[in-house]
Amino acid sequence: MIEGFRPDVVHTHSAKAGILGRAAATAAHVPAIVHTVHGAPFHPYQGRAAREAIRRCERWAALRCDALISVADAMTELLVEADVAPREKFTTIYSGMEVEPFLNSAQHRDAMRRSLGYDDHHVVVGKVARLFHLKGHEYLIEAARALVPQYPQLRFLIVGDGLLRDSLVADIEAAGLTDHFQLVGLVPAHEVPKYLAAMDIVAHASLREGLARVLPQALLAGKPAVSFDVDGAREVVIDGVTGCLVPAQDADRLAHAIKSLIDHQDLRTQMGEEGRRRCAEVFPHQRMTQQIRALYERLLTGKDSSASTSAHR
């Protein structure tokens, strides 16, 4: 199929497709081959043998592309340290999006909170993620167990679905927190800004991400973020400026960070506004596509120059 189409560029994403796509593109002599690293496919929560096998596969595939795009500087650091590819092969390009729906989400706040059953006195902590392993919902439940006795007005809004739904619901019930948690399931992407508008604080307790899209989305919506300090989170959640970073797997520190934002509404507003300003500059999809196009052109121009030089020898 690639040979019949004869593209100038093949750009792959994700681990399995990235390896197969780069191999196929190399076999078809595609002029420029690019792969985007959204998150390292090898990580500390895998077995050692599996992690090493995947790392070796990534290194093999990296030799078969001209450039690697990282969605965060943290991905470059991780893969360079793992000897997947040299630093000069990487370019950081943040994953862009339609920023306007998030920037304008405040108009939906009152109606959305009423529809979800929240009053003005409720402080709503939200999490947007699949209900899946390593997404860290259990740490948020543990933090809630410590916070709710102090703040009965606290509510937790969980957006997303997945195979852990039943077990998480059971954990919430066992903790006596049923009245404080609302799981709304999977929602259409265009509805996410409305749900973010209903929140006061966004919590992200995932144990591994390249750069979770919900973090810039939350900040674009003017919501401070509390996140585990993993991978690219610190590139948008600037501790004490746009939110709070806490050590991964530390439910006590997660609770403490949320508490500090519950207690200080003015700080929530300040952090949210600063996050909105920063992310509005970095995450428009037009910026991302412009940077990717420039990379394509640079690679193709370089190949043309090399071919021309060889032809004149």
Side-chain angles (χ1 to χ4, degrees):
M1 182 179 293
I2 292 178
E3 291 176 343
F5 184 59
R6 299 182 65 187
D8 294 303
V9 179
V10 165
H11 188 159
T12 62
H13 300 262
S14 79
K16 184 176 180 180
I19 291 170
L20 296 176
R22 281 177 279 180
T26 299
H29 304 291
V30 172
I33 305 170
V34 180
H35 177 68
T36 290
V37 181
H38 294 274
F42 51 90
H43 55 81
Y45 304 100
Q46 295 166 320
R48 182 179 299 177
R51 185 167 67 249
E52 178 60 16
I54 295 169
R55 188 196 69 82
R56 288 174 180 267
C57 287
E58 285 295 322
R59 189 172 190 278
W60 179 89
L63 293 170
R64 287 155 179 80
C65 67
D66 299 289
L68 292 155
I69 294 175
S70 296
V71 299
D73 291 337
M75 292 298 93
T76 297
E77 297 303 322
L78 194 156
L79 268 67
V80 169
E81 185 178 341
D83 196 30
V84 168
R87 188 177 301 277
E88 58 268 21
K89 207 162 192 172
F90 290 88
T91 300
T92 296
I93 301 177
Y94 292 112
S95 292
M97 63 192 77
E98 291 278 359
V99 299
E100 287 76 12
F102 297 97
L103 292 172
N104 300 325
S105 63
Q107 63 185 306
H108 303 292
R109 178 176 171 84
D110 291 343
M112 199 67 191
R113 284 174 71 95
R114 284 196 302 271
S115 71
L116 292 166
Y118 302 137
D119 295 327
D120 291 342
H121 74 284
H122 287 129
V123 177
V124 180
V125 177
K127 179 169 171 59
V128 182
R130 289 184 301 150
L131 309 186
F132 201 71
H133 303 290
L134 303 182
K135 291 298 183 180
H137 292 86
E138 65 271 29
Y139 300 105
L140 188 59
I141 295 170
E142 189 61 30
R145 191 197 297 266
L147 289 167
V148 165
Q150 305 173 62
Y151 302 99
Q153 79 278 24
L154 193 56
R155 297 292 182 270
F156 293 85
L157 176 59
I158 308 299
V159 179
D161 208 347
L163 58 84
L164 296 184
R165 181 184 178 91
D166 290 345
S167 64
L168 290 172
V169 168
D171 290 344
I172 291 166
E173 291 176 350
L177 296 170
T178 301
D179 291 341
H180 295 267
F181 273 79
Q182 185 169 184
L183 282 70
V184 297
L186 186 65
V187 304
H190 69 270
E191 294 287 312
V192 171
K194 296 180 181 179
Y195 282 91
L196 288 172
M199 301 172 188
D200 297 296
I201 302 163
V202 173
H204 184 66
S206 178
L207 300 182
R208 60 176 298 267
E209 298 275 353
L211 176 54
R213 287 175 71 80
V214 70
L215 291 176
Q217 288 172 350
L219 295 170
L220 285 164
K223 311 300 176 179
V226 177
S227 176
F228 282 163
D229 188 5
V230 298
D231 298 333
R234 62 172 52 194
E235 295 173 40
V236 290
V237 182
I238 313 303
D239 193 37
V241 178
T242 64
C244 305
L245 287 174
V246 300
Q249 298 180 291
D250 193 331
D252 290 339
R253 294 281 292 275
L254 181 65
H256 180 77
I258 293 171
K259 180 182 187 302
S260 69
L261 293 177
I262 296 172
D263 288 340
H264 300 97
Q265 183 175 353
D266 57 338
L267 183 59
R268 300 201 302 263
T269 300
Q270 179 183 326
M271 286 180 168
E273 288 303 317
E274 180 61 17
R276 184 201 301 269
R277 184 189 67 79
R278 291 175 181 238
C279 290
E281 296 177 2
V282 175
F283 287 94
H285 65 86
Q286 297 91 339
R287 177 184 171 118
M288 175 190 70
T289 53
Q290 182 182 41
Q291 291 175 313
I292 292 175
R293 181 182 180 88
L295 176 61
Y296 292 167
E297 291 175 345
R298 186 164 69 248
L299 293 174
L300 292 170
T301 299
K303 290 293 180 74
D304 289 343
S305 298
S306 297
S308 176
T309 300
S310 297
H312 286 88
R313 285 177 180 170

mmCIF file of all heavy atoms in Angstrom, residues 74-93:
data_model
loop_
_atom_site.group_PDB
_atom_site.id
_atom_site.type_symbol
_atom_site.label_atom_id
_atom_site.label_comp_id
_atom_site.label_asym_id
_atom_site.label_seq_id
_atom_site.Cartn_x
_atom_site.Cartn_y
_atom_site.Cartn_z
ATOM 1 N N ALA A 74 10.128 15.811 28.516
ATOM 2 C CA ALA A 74 10.366 14.660 29.386
ATOM 3 C C ALA A 74 10.504 13.362 28.587
ATOM 4 O O ALA A 74 11.254 12.466 28.978
ATOM 5 C CB ALA A 74 9.242 14.520 30.402
ATOM 6 N N MET A 75 9.780 13.259 27.473
ATOM 7 C CA MET A 75 9.881 12.056 26.652
ATOM 8 C C MET A 75 11.249 11.968 25.981
ATOM 9 O O MET A 75 11.830 10.884 25.863
ATOM 10 C CB MET A 75 8.769 12.043 25.598
ATOM 11 C CG MET A 75 7.377 11.857 26.160
ATOM 12 S SD MET A 75 7.176 10.256 27.007
ATOM 13 C CE MET A 75 7.548 10.681 28.705
ATOM 14 N N THR A 76 11.765 13.101 25.542
ATOM 15 C CA THR A 76 13.107 13.108 24.972
ATOM 16 C C THR A 76 14.126 12.648 26.005
ATOM 17 O O THR A 76 14.966 11.781 25.731
ATOM 18 C CB THR A 76 13.474 14.514 24.471
ATOM 19 O OG1 THR A 76 12.568 14.884 23.418
ATOM 20 C CG2 THR A 76 14.900 14.554 23.951
ATOM 21 N N GLU A 77 14.060 13.223 27.209
ATOM 22 C CA GLU A 77 15.017 12.859 28.250
ATOM 23 C C GLU A 77 14.951 11.369 28.558
ATOM 24 O O GLU A 77 15.986 10.703 28.717
ATOM 25 C CB GLU A 77 14.743 13.669 29.519
ATOM 26 C CG GLU A 77 14.927 15.167 29.357
ATOM 27 C CD GLU A 77 16.318 15.543 28.877
ATOM 28 O OE1 GLU A 77 17.300 14.899 29.321
ATOM 29 O OE2 GLU A 77 16.426 16.471 28.056
ATOM 30 N N LEU A 78 13.738 10.831 28.641
ATOM 31 C CA LEU A 78 13.567 9.424 28.988
ATOM 32 C C LEU A 78 14.161 8.515 27.912
ATOM 33 O O LEU A 78 14.880 7.559 28.208
ATOM 34 C CB LEU A 78 12.083 9.134 29.185
ATOM 35 C CG LEU A 78 11.678 7.823 29.855
ATOM 36 C CD1 LEU A 78 10.292 7.960 30.486
ATOM 37 C CD2 LEU A 78 11.669 6.654 28.870
ATOM 38 N N LEU A 79 13.872 8.815 26.640
ATOM 39 C CA LEU A 79 14.337 7.947 25.562
ATOM 40 C C LEU A 79 15.825 8.101 25.281
ATOM 41 O O LEU A 79 16.488 7.128 24.909
ATOM 42 C CB LEU A 79 13.510 8.179 24.291
ATOM 43 C CG LEU A 79 12.292 7.252 24.162
ATOM 44 C CD1 LEU A 79 11.254 7.558 25.247
ATOM 45 C CD2 LEU A 79 11.645 7.361 22.788
ATOM 46 N N VAL A 80 16.362 9.301 25.468
ATOM 47 C CA VAL A 80 17.811 9.481 25.323
ATOM 48 C C VAL A 80 18.531 8.712 26.421
ATOM 49 O O VAL A 80 19.524 8.012 26.170
ATOM 50 C CB VAL A 80 18.182 10.979 25.364
ATOM 51 C CG1 VAL A 80 19.691 11.155 25.493
ATOM 52 C CG2 VAL A 80 17.676 11.680 24.111
ATOM 53 N N GLU A 81 18.036 8.827 27.651
ATOM 54 C CA GLU A 81 18.649 8.108 28.766
ATOM 55 C C GLU A 81 18.588 6.598 28.562
ATOM 56 O O GLU A 81 19.499 5.871 28.970
ATOM 57 C CB GLU A 81 17.949 8.487 30.067
ATOM 58 C CG GLU A 81 18.574 7.886 31.306
ATOM 59 C CD GLU A 81 17.890 8.329 32.586
ATOM 60 O OE1 GLU A 81 17.188 9.357 32.569
ATOM 61 O OE2 GLU A 81 18.063 7.641 33.613
ATOM 62 N N ALA A 82 17.523 6.124 27.906
ATOM 63 C CA ALA A 82 17.364 4.695 27.649
ATOM 64 C C ALA A 82 18.105 4.242 26.399
ATOM 65 O O ALA A 82 17.999 3.083 25.994
ATOM 66 C CB ALA A 82 15.882 4.360 27.515
ATOM 67 N N ASP A 83 18.839 5.163 25.773
ATOM 68 C CA ASP A 83 19.646 4.852 24.588
ATOM 69 C C ASP A 83 18.782 4.386 23.414
ATOM 70 O O ASP A 83 19.200 3.549 22.620
ATOM 71 C CB ASP A 83 20.702 3.790 24.922
ATOM 72 C CG ASP A 83 21.798 3.719 23.864
ATOM 73 O OD1 ASP A 83 22.077 4.761 23.239
ATOM 74 O OD2 ASP A 83 22.346 2.620 23.650
ATOM 75 N N VAL A 84 17.586 4.957 23.304
ATOM 76 C CA VAL A 84 16.729 4.643 22.157
ATOM 77 C C VAL A 84 17.211 5.378 20.921
ATOM 78 O O VAL A 84 17.220 4.830 19.808
ATOM 79 C CB VAL A 84 15.259 4.999 22.469
ATOM 80 C CG1 VAL A 84 14.390 4.958 21.218
ATOM 81 C CG2 VAL A 84 14.702 4.033 23.519
ATOM 82 N N ALA A 85 17.597 6.647 21.090
ATOM 83 C CA ALA A 85 18.078 7.452 19.968
ATOM 84 C C ALA A 85 18.861 8.630 20.520
ATOM 85 O O ALA A 85 18.667 9.026 21.674
ATOM 86 C CB ALA A 85 16.901 7.943 19.116
ATOM 87 N N PRO A 86 19.735 9.234 19.726
ATOM 88 C CA PRO A 86 20.494 10.398 20.188
ATOM 89 C C PRO A 86 19.592 11.636 20.295
ATOM 90 O O PRO A 86 18.576 11.747 19.605
ATOM 91 C CB PRO A 86 21.557 10.584 19.107
ATOM 92 C CG PRO A 86 20.960 9.970 17.880
ATOM 93 C CD PRO A 86 20.136 8.807 18.370
ATOM 94 N N ARG A 87 19.983 12.555 21.142
ATOM 95 C CA ARG A 87 19.176 13.746 21.417
ATOM 96 C C ARG A 87 18.869 14.550 20.159
ATOM 97 O O ARG A 87 17.781 15.108 20.010
ATOM 98 C CB ARG A 87 19.905 14.615 22.437
ATOM 99 C CG ARG A 87 19.092 15.793 22.950
ATOM 100 C CD ARG A 87 19.870 16.556 24.009
ATOM 101 N NE ARG A 87 20.215 15.711 25.144
ATOM 102 C CZ ARG A 87 19.399 15.449 26.156
ATOM 103 N NH1 ARG A 87 18.186 15.983 26.171
ATOM 104 N NH2 ARG A 87 19.784 14.677 27.148
ATOM 105 N N GLU A 88 19.824 14.622 19.229
ATOM 106 C CA GLU A 88 19.618 15.456 18.045
ATOM 107 C C GLU A 88 18.522 14.933 17.117
ATOM 108 O O GLU A 88 18.070 15.644 16.223
ATOM 109 C CB GLU A 88 20.931 15.609 17.252
ATOM 110 C CG GLU A 88 21.556 14.306 16.797
ATOM 111 C CD GLU A 88 22.576 13.763 17.804
ATOM 112 O OE1 GLU A 88 22.511 14.154 18.994
ATOM 113 O OE2 GLU A 88 23.418 12.954 17.384
ATOM 114 N N LYS A 89 18.071 13.738 17.362
ATOM 115 C CA LYS A 89 17.008 13.179 16.523
ATOM 116 C C LYS A 89 15.614 13.607 17.001
ATOM 117 O O LYS A 89 14.617 13.386 16.314
ATOM 118 C CB LYS A 89 17.110 11.650 16.525
ATOM 119 C CG LYS A 89 16.549 10.990 15.280
ATOM 120 C CD LYS A 89 17.054 9.566 15.145
ATOM 121 C CE LYS A 89 16.734 9.020 13.765
ATOM 122 N NZ LYS A 89 17.361 7.707 13.529
ATOM 123 N N PHE A 90 15.534 14.237 18.177
ATOM 124 C CA PHE A 90 14.247 14.581 18.788
ATOM 125 C C PHE A 90 13.901 16.052 18.593
ATOM 126 O O PHE A 90 14.767 16.925 18.630
ATOM 127 C CB PHE A 90 14.279 14.292 20.291
ATOM 128 C CG PHE A 90 14.320 12.840 20.649
ATOM 129 C CD1 PHE A 90 15.537 12.178 20.766
ATOM 130 C CD2 PHE A 90 13.150 12.134 20.868
ATOM 131 C CE1 PHE A 90 15.580 10.836 21.102
ATOM 132 C CE2 PHE A 90 13.187 10.793 21.212
ATOM 133 C CZ PHE A 90 14.402 10.138 21.325
ATOM 134 N N THR A 91 12.612 16.297 18.422
ATOM 135 C CA THR A 91 12.049 17.640 18.431
ATOM 136 C C THR A 91 10.802 17.605 19.305
ATOM 137 O O THR A 91 9.952 16.722 19.142
ATOM 138 C CB THR A 91 11.648 18.095 17.014
ATOM 139 O OG1 THR A 91 12.799 18.104 16.173
ATOM 140 C CG2 THR A 91 11.024 19.491 17.047
ATOM 141 N N THR A 92 10.689 18.540 20.241
ATOM 142 C CA THR A 92 9.482 18.613 21.063
ATOM 143 C C THR A 92 8.430 19.460 20.361
ATOM 144 O O THR A 92 8.702 20.610 20.004
ATOM 145 C CB THR A 92 9.776 19.212 22.451
ATOM 146 O OG1 THR A 92 10.661 18.336 23.151
ATOM 147 C CG2 THR A 92 8.490 19.375 23.259
ATOM 148 N N ILE A 93 7.261 18.869 20.148
ATOM 149 C CA ILE A 93 6.107 19.591 19.607
ATOM 150 C C ILE A 93 4.905 19.190 20.452
ATOM 151 O O ILE A 93 4.483 18.030 20.435
ATOM 152 C CB ILE A 93 5.854 19.260 18.126
ATOM 153 C CG1 ILE A 93 7.085 19.617 17.266
ATOM 154 C CG2 ILE A 93 4.614 19.998 17.614
ATOM 155 C CD1 ILE A 93 6.942 19.249 15.783
#
